[in-house]
């Protein structure tokens, strides 16, 4: 008997013994150790707990296994989003590494630490494609591109789950939020989403499909109303696409109360109706709200729901428990000492943070010359552990964070560092300390300024309408810029900020996201040239909020704006140059494109060659370019390949990322970088929602970012 058939037959045996109440109990997830938790567990009235860990989890598990009628173990879940105790950069920062290997390692470390506290299940990766940085949850995902998000999402699934979910150091992953949640109108969290099916299938669904193919054990339905049907009651996305088209056999959990939130959505009349709609759509487990436990028995008695729905849901839940090996090993009993913050965990977090930082400007200010006398370290985020942890870092501890101030003091000697926070905190408008600051930095040879957003400005329900630096941080920059000393800004944030007002005032700008526990040493490594920056933007950076949504894989329109179009028109109001898809008052282009990032050397791309200029359907093409490190330092280039389908039966984006490689090169060295493209990689959904590759002409770029590159052309014929 294979493992799968033995699990299915064990489920059959168990299902045959379960009462309806016990089955419904499995479908409920309770948050926290509520007052009557033990009694509920004892009567088999709950399948999972959220946010119960360690000793509490052990005790509830003991009751479930020893004192409930059938001894079915509980499942303990928690948001282990970018680390457990060792906090890695926020997922958006991890995406900026363009390095699936370090992302996989980050998830492995998080799983290992979480499992030591009896956790079996994390609610990550968040695979929502985010085209709007006003949306605070952009921090939790991998940015705007479906290909990059899929690669990183798969790496996270592999890192959390490993080869075998039964490994005591691995935990189940959860693909969320299914689906379209990030397209919230106006970037306002929980808002309505309208996504045409073609866009849904080409942009929003592919990362989820990749996660399902990678074997993700669970998936979370979302809060949003998608094209009029809330995603937690959406049979089209949850049954037709997920189960029927993709063959997902894992477990679907709702988001927190998202089942009963179908009432204010105006989709369910009451909790009973909400339960019926969520179950019929395929939500197996209800997170927090209890409409299932309250109403399913009567829904079945009244013939509204078939008992088959319940059996299918419970089967999915039990399958997960069997796969995790909980019936054999309900309690891990691992000593967290020696696991939490282990040396190799901290090392991986430091590498991840280092690779996540994106150098956006450098006018010979970096790396810092170690020969200088004193360095001023300024800014409200220079020594703020909480903020560098970022959002969703429940188990991370501020006092365990190595801040940039601490790391620079350690690297250079405390006596060479002059520190001043500048402002009491990053949102503060209190500028009373600025005159003193100007004096304090007087003796310094260079200034490193830590500004940005505090952790609490991103994450769930933390959308912003203004994306400039909060508080009086711009005034702080003005004071420092006026000193004439080399000024290096390190920006920490949970999203892309609008940097236009400050860019000209600084000599260098390093974007560090919220870099996690080891953010300080990682940033110090880069500032001091111990390592060269290698992060690349996983999102387009706008010049102004008014340009949003702004993303690289847009459609051309019938009137594309030429690159040399003046941003403020100089001609008459009827000047035909202005009748294009741009703005009167701001350049149509981004401040920084997707995929952008500088380093301490320069790279040259040359000699693009394609294996063929004409290929048949089902065939493969290779594209090669030579990359040369033309500078004086070793560094890593993230080489990217983009494609454009010139004419389609539906219009196609002006570019789409199809691959990337991190290439390390010594100064003066050259290397050929080769990508392989199969015609299937060029498929999209036509008007009839068939996924096809259409014959015709294509452009291809091997490029340093989405707005540049060596361009080649090829054609796909009708047949091979
Ligand atoms: C609500 C969030 O939307 C979701 O991402 C999270 O996993 C759950 N709460 C559980 O905390």
């Amino acid at each position: 008997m294979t493992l799968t058939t033995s699990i299915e037959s064990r489920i059959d045996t168990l299902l045959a013994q379960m009462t309806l109440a016990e089955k419904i109990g499995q479908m409920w997830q309770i948050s926290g150790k509520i007052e009557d938790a033990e009694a509920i567990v004892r009567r088999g009235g709950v399948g999972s707990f959220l946010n119960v860990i360690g000793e509490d989890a052990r005790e509830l598990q003991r009751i479930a296994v020893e004192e409930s009628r059938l001894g079915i173990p509980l499942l303990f879940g928690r948001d282990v989003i970018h680390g457990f105790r060792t906090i890695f950069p926020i997922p958006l920062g991890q995406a900026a590494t363009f390095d699936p290997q370090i992302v996989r390692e980050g998830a492995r470390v998080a799983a290992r630490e979480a499992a030591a506290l009896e956790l079996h299940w994390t609610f990550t990766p968040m695979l929502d494609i985010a085209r709007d940085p006003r949306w605070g949850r952009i921090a939790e995902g991998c940015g705007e591109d479906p290909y990059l998000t899929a690669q990183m999402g798969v790496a996270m699934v592999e890192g959390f789950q490993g080869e075998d979910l039964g490994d005591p150091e691995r935990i189940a992953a959860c693909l969320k939020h299914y689906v379209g949640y990030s397209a919230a109108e106006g970037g306002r969290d929980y808002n309505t989403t309208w996504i045409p099916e073609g866009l849904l299938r080409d942009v929003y669904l592919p990362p989820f499909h990749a996660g399902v193919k990678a074997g993700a054990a669970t998936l979370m339905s979302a809060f949003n109303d998608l094209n009029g049907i809330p995603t937690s009651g959406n049979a089209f996305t949850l049954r037709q696409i997920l189960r029927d088209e993709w063959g997902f056999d894992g477990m679907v959990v709702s988001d927190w109360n998202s089942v009963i939130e179908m009432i204010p959505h105006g989709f369910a009349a009451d909790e009973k109706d909400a339960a019926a709609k969520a179950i019929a759509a395929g939500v197996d487990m209800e997170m927090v709200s209890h409409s299932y436990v309250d109403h399913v028995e009567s829904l079945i008695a009244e013939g509204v729901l078939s008992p088959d729905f319940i059996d299918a849901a419970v089967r999915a839940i039990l399958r997960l428990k069997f796969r995790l090996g909980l019936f054999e090993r309900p309690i891990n009993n691992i000593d967290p000492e020696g696991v939490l913050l282990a040396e190799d965990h901290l090392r991986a977090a430091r590498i991840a943070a280092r690779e996540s930082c994106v150098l956006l400007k450098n006018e010979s200010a970096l790396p810092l010359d170690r020969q200088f006398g004193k360095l001023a370290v300024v800014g409200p985020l220079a020594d703020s552990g909480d903020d560098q942890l970022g959002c969703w870092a429940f188990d991370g501890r501020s006092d365990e964070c190595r801040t940039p101030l601490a790391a620079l003091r350690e690297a250079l000697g405390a006596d060479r560092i002059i520190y001043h926070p500048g402002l009491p905190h990053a949102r503060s408008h209190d500028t009373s300390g600025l005159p003193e600051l100007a004096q304090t930095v007087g003796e310094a040879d260079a200034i490193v300024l830590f500004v940005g957003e505090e952790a609490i400005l991103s994450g769930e329900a933390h959308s912003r309408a203004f994306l400039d630096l909060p508080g009086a941080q711009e005034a702080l920059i003005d004071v420092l810029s006026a000193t004439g000393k080399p000024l290096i800004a390190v920006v920490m944030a949970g999203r892309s900020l609008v940097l236009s007002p400050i860019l000209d005032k600084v000599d260098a700008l390093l974007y560090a996201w919220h870099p996690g526990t080891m953010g300080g040493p990682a940033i110090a490594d880069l500032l001091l040239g111990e390592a060269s920056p290698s992060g690349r933007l996983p999102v387009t950076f706008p010049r102004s909020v008014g340009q949003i949504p702004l993303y690289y894989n847009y459609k051309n329109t019938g009137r594309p704006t030429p690159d040399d179009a003046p941003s403020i028109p100089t001609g008459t109001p009827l000047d035909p140059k202005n009748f294009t898809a741009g703005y009167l008052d701001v350049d149509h282009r981004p401040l920084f494109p997707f995929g952008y990032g500088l380093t301490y050397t320069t790279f040259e791309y040359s000699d693009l060659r394609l294996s063929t200029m004409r290929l048949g359907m089902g065939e493969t093409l290779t594209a090669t370019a030579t990359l040369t490190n033309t500078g004086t330092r070793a560094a890593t280039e993230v080489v990217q390949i983009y494609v454009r389908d010139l004419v389609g039966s539906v219009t196609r984006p002006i570019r789409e990322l199809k691959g990337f490689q991190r290439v390390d090169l010594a100064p003066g060295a050259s290397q050929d970088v080769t990508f392989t493209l199969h015609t299937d990689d060029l498929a999209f959904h036509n008007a009839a929602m068939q996924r096809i590759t259409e014959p015709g002409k294509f452009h291809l770029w091997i490029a340093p970012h989405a707005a540049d590159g060596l361009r080649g052309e090829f054609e796909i014929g009708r047949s091979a």
Side-chain angles (χ1 to χ4, degrees):
M1 212 190 298
T2 67
L3 185 63
T4 314
T5 51
S6 86
I7 285 182
E8 295 309 309
S9 70
R10 288 175 78 184
I11 296 173
D12 289 338
T13 312
L14 206 47
L15 272 175
Q17 298 170 55
M18 291 171 83
T19 63
L20 181 57
E22 284 166 338
K23 289 179 184 174
I24 298 166
Q26 286 298 311
M27 296 169 69
W28 187 27
Q29 181 181 58
I30 295 178
S31 170
K33 195 177 173 195
I34 57 174
E35 211 178 302
D36 46 353
E38 298 187 357
I40 298 172
V41 172
R42 210 167 274 122
R43 65 166 189 266
V46 57
S48 172
F49 280 86
L50 162 71
N51 295 334
V52 174
I53 64 173
E55 207 37 65
D56 285 345
R58 264 177 225 125
E59 178 54 12
L60 288 179
Q61 190 71 303
R62 191 197 58 72
I63 295 171
V65 173
E66 293 175 9
E67 297 179 22
S68 76
R69 194 177 72 90
L70 294 171
I72 301 175
L74 295 162
L75 191 60
F76 293 103
R78 187 165 174 82
D79 291 286
V80 180
I81 304 297
H82 50 112
F84 182 75
R85 217 21 201 279
T86 305
I87 300 296
F88 281 66
I90 54 168
L92 190 60
Q94 291 190 43
T97 66
F98 279 69
D99 185 352
Q101 208 172 315
I102 193 70
V103 169
R104 192 178 301 114
E105 177 63 4
R108 186 194 70 82
V109 163
R112 193 165 177 255
E113 293 191 353
L117 272 297
E118 305 297 350
L119 288 167
H120 312 125
W121 184 20
T122 176
F123 305 114
T124 202
M126 188 188 99
L127 301 177
D128 299 306
I129 297 300
R131 294 175 156 184
D132 190 335
R134 291 172 297 182
W135 189 56
R137 303 199 78 173
I138 192 172
E140 299 171 49
C142 297
E144 73 189 32
D145 183 65
Y147 179 84
L148 178 64
T149 301
Q151 299 294 309
M152 295 310 187
V154 165
M156 288 180 197
V157 169
E158 291 169 350
F160 279 112
Q161 298 193 170
E163 300 271 296
D164 173 13
L165 258 189
D167 179 338
E169 296 197 341
R170 303 290 183 158
I171 64 177
C174 182
L175 312 177
K176 74 183 187 187
H177 307 83
Y178 190 73
V179 56
Y181 176 42
S182 48
E185 285 184 346
R188 195 150 55 82
D189 207 5
Y190 314 120
N191 209 3
T192 305
T193 64
W194 292 101
I195 308 176
E197 191 178 336
L199 184 64
L200 190 68
R201 288 187 180 272
D202 284 343
V203 171
Y204 290 88
L205 286 169
F208 286 93
H209 195 190
V212 166
K213 284 194 267 189
T218 75
L219 176 142
M220 185 186 291
S221 68
F223 289 128
N224 56 303
D225 166 2
L226 174 65
N227 303 333
I229 315 283
T231 45
S232 288
N234 198 316
F236 170 61
T237 54
L238 289 168
R239 282 208 188 276
Q240 183 180 318
I241 295 178
L242 181 67
R243 301 280 187 197
D244 301 346
E245 294 181 22
W246 297 350
F248 180 66
D249 73 347
M251 193 257 268
V252 175
V253 64
S254 77
D255 203 342
W256 183 292
N257 282 353
S258 69
V259 171
I260 61 166
E261 286 178 14
M262 293 198 289
I263 303 168
H265 269 301
F267 186 71
D270 51 28
E271 295 200 1
K272 188 169 172 183
D273 191 26
K277 287 187 164 134
I279 291 171
V283 177
D284 302 319
M285 182 180 278
E286 182 178 13
M287 184 187 282
V288 183
S289 54
H290 31 81
S291 66
Y292 289 11
V293 284
D294 291 346
H295 300 290
V296 168
E297 287 210 42
S298 50
L299 284 166
I300 289 185
E302 291 157 18
V304 178
L305 273 182
S306 153
D308 292 350
F309 280 133
I310 308 307
D311 281 356
V314 177
R315 178 175 291 277
I317 294 163
L318 294 176
R319 188 180 290 135
L320 175 61
K321 294 185 175 184
F322 279 114
R323 281 182 182 168
L324 283 162
L326 299 187
F327 287 84
E328 289 71 35
R329 188 183 30 80
I331 292 173
N332 259 342
N333 259 334
I334 296 171
D335 180 3
E337 276 296 310
V339 174
L340 304 181
L341 301 168
E343 261 320 299
D344 61 318
H345 297 187
L346 293 173
R347 202 175 317 119
R350 182 173 183 158
I351 295 170
R354 202 151 69 188
E355 291 188 1
S356 73
C357 291
V358 187
L359 184 65
L360 293 176
K361 175 175 179 179
N362 188 17
E363 282 176 359
S364 308
L366 287 176
L368 289 167
D369 178 356
R370 277 179 179 265
Q371 300 313 311
F372 62 75
K374 290 202 169 177
L375 180 69
V377 174
V378 179
L381 298 180
D383 194 30
S384 177
D386 273 332
D387 293 313
Q388 79 185 54
L389 288 176
C391 59
W392 293 103
F394 294 146
D395 301 283
R397 298 193 183 165
S398 175
D399 61 353
E400 289 167 355
C401 269
R402 308 269 300 276
T403 67
L405 176 65
L408 286 165
R409 277 182 174 148
E410 191 179 319
L412 296 173
D415 53 333
R416 290 174 70 199
I417 302 289
I418 302 165
Y419 169 60
H420 196 295
L423 300 169
H425 58 82
R427 268 167 304 136
S428 171
H429 288 276
D430 175 3
T431 52
S432 59
L434 296 189
E436 175 203 270
L437 168 69
Q439 275 190 337
T440 311
V441 300
E443 298 177 62
D445 297 306
I447 304 166
V448 185
L449 171 66
F450 291 86
V451 286
E453 274 184 340
E454 295 150 289
I456 49 149
L457 291 190
S458 55
E460 186 179 345
H462 288 73
S463 296
R464 292 182 64 196
F466 297 96
L467 295 183
D468 38 13
L469 291 176
Q473 293 185 91
E474 280 181 28
L476 170 61
I477 293 178
D478 287 340
V479 167
L480 297 172
S481 171
T483 64
K485 295 178 191 290
L487 177 58
I488 295 125
V490 178
V491 179
M492 291 190 195
R495 52 163 65 79
S496 42
L497 292 174
V498 169
L499 300 172
S500 325
I502 65 162
L503 201 57
D504 289 342
K505 297 175 183 167
V506 300
D507 298 292
L509 195 151
L510 185 71
Y511 211 81
W513 316 102
H514 288 135
T517 307
M518 295 301 281
I523 290 168
D525 290 343
L526 296 172
L527 295 177
L528 298 171
E530 299 295 322
S532 299
S534 61
R536 298 292 182 267
L537 296 180
V539 281
T540 302
F541 271 45
R543 289 166 195 268
S544 83
V545 172
Q547 290 177 305
I548 295 169
L550 191 68
Y551 46 91
Y552 84 92
N553 46 355
Y554 60 89
K555 302 283 189 82
N556 207 31
T557 81
R559 296 190 179 190
T561 310
D563 276 353
D564 59 356
S567 42
I568 297 183
T570 49
T572 66
L574 291 179
D575 183 343
K577 219 174 177 182
N578 301 320
F579 285 86
T580 63
Y583 295 97
L584 291 180
D585 48 5
V586 66
D587 198 310
H588 67 286
R589 288 167 300 181
L591 188 62
F592 295 110
F594 175 88
Y596 184 82
L598 302 169
T599 185
Y600 296 154
T601 190
T602 43
F603 287 104
E604 192 182 281
Y605 287 66
S606 61
D607 199 14
L608 174 67
R609 324 43 122 189
L610 307 189
S611 58
T612 177
M613 285 187 65
R614 203 183 148 77
L615 69 165
M617 207 54 83
E619 290 182 350
T620 292
L621 162 109
T622 60
T624 303
T626 305
L627 180 74
T628 306
N629 180 342
T630 48
T632 54
R633 279 176 172 265
T636 305
E637 173 72 340
V638 178
V639 183
Q640 301 156 42
I641 182 168
Y642 295 90
V643 169
R644 176 174 181 182
D645 185 350
L646 297 190
V647 179
S649 63
V650 297
T651 57
R652 309 287 301 119
I654 63 138
R655 275 194 191 206
E656 290 176 294
L657 183 71
K658 296 292 172 187
F660 55 83
Q661 291 178 41
R662 286 175 60 92
V663 181
D664 304 326
L665 276 188
S670 282
Q671 190 180 309
D672 282 350
V673 183
T674 298
F675 292 93
T676 303
L677 271 183
H678 186 275
T679 54
D680 189 60
D681 298 330
L682 307 167
F684 63 97
H685 288 85
N686 65 13
M689 292 307 123
Q690 294 154 321
R691 186 176 176 279
I692 53 159
T693 303
E694 291 181 345
K697 290 187 174 160
F698 292 78
H699 284 167
L700 166 157
W701 293 261
I702 293 192
H705 56 77
D708 197 0
L710 300 175
R711 195 183 89 184
E713 296 179 8
F714 66 95
E715 189 168 350
I716 298 183
R718 292 208 168 268
S719 54

